[in-house]
Amino acid sequence: MDSINNQLIKVSTSAPKGTDNLEQGDDEFEMKYRYYYSGDNFTSIKITWNTIFYILAPLMVDETTEDDLHNELRKYLQGHLNKEIKRSLPPRNFEVDNVDFQTIKVQLIALGLISKVIKKEVSKIHQPIGLLLLMANQL
């Protein structure tokens, strides 16, 4: 019985097989974004996968939407840039590059950190909506 419990603990607390070569943890990811400050500006920030997970994980303890994740990344970028640009009018209209956002989402799914959940929304349209959920084994 102890052997089975030990195996369950190992499986529930380790990354999926085949993910050793994926970037994760303190590996850096260059996330591109744009913002408005006296005109459109395009730039990027190097951010670790641990930091990305730290920013997004609290939203996914309960189910959340991709829009919520986008908004949280925007808030982080705005706070980061506001520290660098000390002006009376802060930059605005932050947008994470969509390809980079999709890369982040796919990477976190591949690492087994989040899972996509499809639910039927209770509405007139009855379209399924995609939600993201933090995997319980990573808490």
Side-chain angles (χ1 to χ4, degrees):
M1 188 68 160
D2 285 338
S3 173
I4 293 173
N5 285 336
N6 289 338
Q7 287 177 344
L8 283 174
I9 290 170
K10 184 179 178 184
V11 168
S12 68
T13 58
S14 57
K17 283 186 179 182
T19 60
D20 296 343
N21 294 329
L22 295 178
E23 289 192 1
Q24 56 190 302
D26 289 326
D27 294 331
E28 289 185 333
F29 176 69
E30 188 168 357
M31 182 170 54
K32 294 177 284 306
Y33 65 98
R34 77 168 192 71
Y35 63 94
Y36 183 85
Y37 187 80
S38 300
D40 277 333
N41 294 274
F42 298 88
T43 190
S44 64
I45 181 175
K46 287 190 178 188
I47 186 170
T48 68
W49 286 101
N50 280 342
T51 301
I52 292 170
F53 189 68
Y54 175 80
I55 294 165
L56 300 179
L59 293 175
M60 295 181 289
V61 170
D62 295 319
E63 296 167 343
T64 192
T65 65
E66 288 186 19
D67 286 341
D68 291 339
L69 299 180
H70 262 282
N71 287 334
E72 203 63 24
L73 286 172
R74 282 185 204 113
K75 283 191 241 176
Y76 175 81
L77 292 170
Q78 187 169 8
H80 172 76
L81 200 58
N82 284 344
K83 289 177 187 174
E84 289 186 12
I85 300 176
K86 296 181 180 179
R87 311 255 186 202
S88 59
L89 292 174
R92 61 184 194 275
N93 299 340
F94 286 81
E95 280 300 319
V96 175
D97 179 78
N98 191 52
V99 171
D100 287 351
F101 178 77
Q102 296 303 324
T103 298
I104 290 168
K105 186 177 73 173
V106 168
Q107 185 80 350
L108 294 177
I109 290 171
L111 291 170
L113 299 174
I114 64 173
S115 175
K116 185 137 183 152
V117 177
I118 303 294
K119 285 189 164 188
K120 280 236 174 189
E121 185 176 0
V122 181
S123 70
K124 294 177 185 176
I125 303 172
H126 298 295
Q127 293 288 351
I129 57 173
L131 300 171
L132 296 167
L133 182 64
L134 183 66
M135 297 299 290
N137 65 350
Q138 300 303 320
L139 294 177

